[in-house]
Amino acid sequence: MTLQLKPLHSQFAAEASGIDITQPLARKDIHAINAAMNQYAVLVWRNTPLSQQQQLAFAESFGPLDIGLKRIFKRAERMDDERLIDISNLNADGKVADRGTMKALSGFANQLWHSDSSFQDPRAAYSMLHAVAIPDWGGNTEFADLRAAYDALSQRTRDEIQGLSAEHYALHTRLLLGDEAYTEEQKRKMPPVTWPLVETHPGSGRKVLFVGVHATHIIGWPVAEGRMYLADLLEHATQREFVYAHQWQVGDLVMWDNRCTLHRGRRYDLSQRRDMRRATVMDVPEAMLHAA
């Protein structure tokens, strides 16, 4: 079978079918998915229950996997493999976590507009998030197309941001939410990195407005001025016309390209289970991210 695509938004995002992602992928299928990702940046696979190992195998088809903040956070895990990221409100025993715990704080941080692992180099390319259990209310995930956001900038703004870079820091969101319980050793393990505000997406060739909540300041600018400008750019990039809101169903797998999108989770009933797991492909030369 061949990959079938149904657009979900006027700018980007499509529902994908026709390829069985529970089974090993042929090279032509990998190329077809990459071509679709270059065009749509977000692909939604409906009604596709995956075991942990099946999800890992699908993700590994595209390259080495990232463990993100697990480099500095060593906690009890529900996942069988550290390369699966637990995006849930459940503790290590599988019970709903208290909303004052570090687990809950991670969930609140995910409700801010971000791209996965922009705070490290190499950063993330694709992420694949799978829904195992969902609450009765809320919990959508929203995606913003940073290519469309760049296209809509005024020429004045394009000229102003060309050549500018921002520093991205792993703990910026945690500090923003009031969590300061980090040792100097933990901070050293995740030093800030710098990314240009304007990049060219390698798959589509389109320019990207690369912003997000991990960006702390603009290099060479006064911190206050840079943060206000970053806030303005983020507000621009997340206007409704650039956003696809995904309403989850159990068995969904959504994959997106962190190099040209932002995403955020939305509020939900924290007394109910929201069990999601993510695998993330690193943006490294050996990754299989080519359409041919």
Side-chain angles (χ1 to χ4, degrees):
M1 296 182 69
T2 59
L3 182 64
Q4 305 295 316
L5 299 166
K6 176 185 175 182
L8 296 170
H9 186 277
S10 62
Q11 302 279 1
F12 71 132
E15 183 174 327
S17 60
I19 294 175
D20 185 358
I21 64 171
T22 69
Q23 300 299 315
L25 297 179
R27 183 172 292 271
K28 67 178 180 62
D29 295 332
I30 295 172
H31 289 165
I33 292 170
N34 284 331
M37 289 290 284
N38 289 340
Q39 180 177 357
Y40 291 103
V42 177
L43 295 182
V44 176
W45 307 83
R46 292 286 196 185
N47 192 29
T48 309
L50 296 163
S51 69
Q52 293 187 31
Q53 290 307 313
Q54 285 174 320
Q55 185 175 353
L56 281 171
F58 175 64
E60 282 187 296
S61 299
F62 299 93
L65 303 186
D66 177 38
I67 63 172
L69 287 174
K70 289 186 181 183
R71 288 183 177 84
I72 59 175
F73 297 142
K74 302 298 181 182
R75 303 190 184 114
E77 284 281 342
R78 294 190 309 123
M79 301 293 109
D80 297 334
D81 190 303
E82 70 169 358
R83 295 171 300 168
L84 280 176
I85 312 298
D86 185 6
I87 310 295
S88 76
N89 64 336
L90 307 177
N91 60 27
D93 297 325
K95 298 178 180 179
V96 173
D98 182 84
R99 64 183 62 202
T101 61
M102 286 291 294
K103 181 63 180 174
L105 187 141
S106 294
F108 295 135
N110 283 331
Q111 294 179 21
L112 299 166
W113 284 110
H114 66 285
S115 59
D116 292 331
S117 297
S118 73
F119 48 72
Q120 66 183 34
D121 187 4
R123 59 186 166 185
Y126 297 166
S127 289
M128 295 89 160
L129 186 61
H130 186 49
V132 180
I134 59 175
D136 293 335
W137 170 82
N140 290 353
T141 300
E142 295 181 340
F143 299 89
D145 186 348
L146 298 179
R147 302 169 303 180
Y150 179 86
D151 291 345
L153 289 172
S154 68
Q155 189 60 52
R156 177 191 179 99
T157 302
R158 292 188 190 187
D159 292 342
E160 190 168 38
I161 63 177
Q162 188 64 44
L164 294 180
S165 295
E167 184 176 279
H168 293 236
Y169 182 42
L171 300 181
H172 185 52
T173 57
R174 312 305 172 105
L175 297 171
L176 181 66
L177 295 176
D179 178 26
E180 299 181 357
Y182 299 101
T183 66
E184 290 303 316
E185 181 182 0
Q186 287 175 317
K187 293 176 182 178
R188 283 195 298 271
K189 287 182 178 179
M190 297 296 282
V193 299
T194 300
W195 298 109
L197 286 179
V198 180
E199 299 194 296
T200 300
H201 180 251
S204 64
R206 295 173 63 187
K207 287 192 174 180
V208 172
L209 174 61
F210 196 67
V211 291
V213 76
H214 295 313
T216 63
H217 64 280
I218 296 174
I219 302 298
W221 283 34
V223 171
E225 182 183 5
R227 287 185 176 176
M228 289 309 303
Y229 196 29
L230 288 171
D232 284 347
L233 293 172
L234 183 59
E235 183 177 352
H236 165 82
T238 55
Q239 294 177 84
R240 288 296 96 185
E241 58 261 42
F242 309 137
V243 172
Y244 163 68
H246 183 69
Q247 186 171 349
W248 288 97
Q249 300 173 16
V250 171
D252 284 355
L253 182 131
V254 179
M255 63 186 296
W256 64 90
D257 191 335
N258 289 286
R259 301 169 300 174
C260 62
T261 64
L262 296 175
H263 64 282
R264 66 173 179 177
R266 304 304 286 140
R267 293 184 65 241
Y268 62 96
D269 185 347
L270 291 173
S271 70
Q272 296 187 338
R273 295 171 63 88
R274 185 177 187 264
D275 189 356
M276 321 282 282
R277 48 175 140 88
R278 193 190 83 214
T280 299
V281 179
M282 299 174 68
D283 187 19
V284 291
E286 60 267 34
M288 292 284 294
L289 305 176
H290 306 294

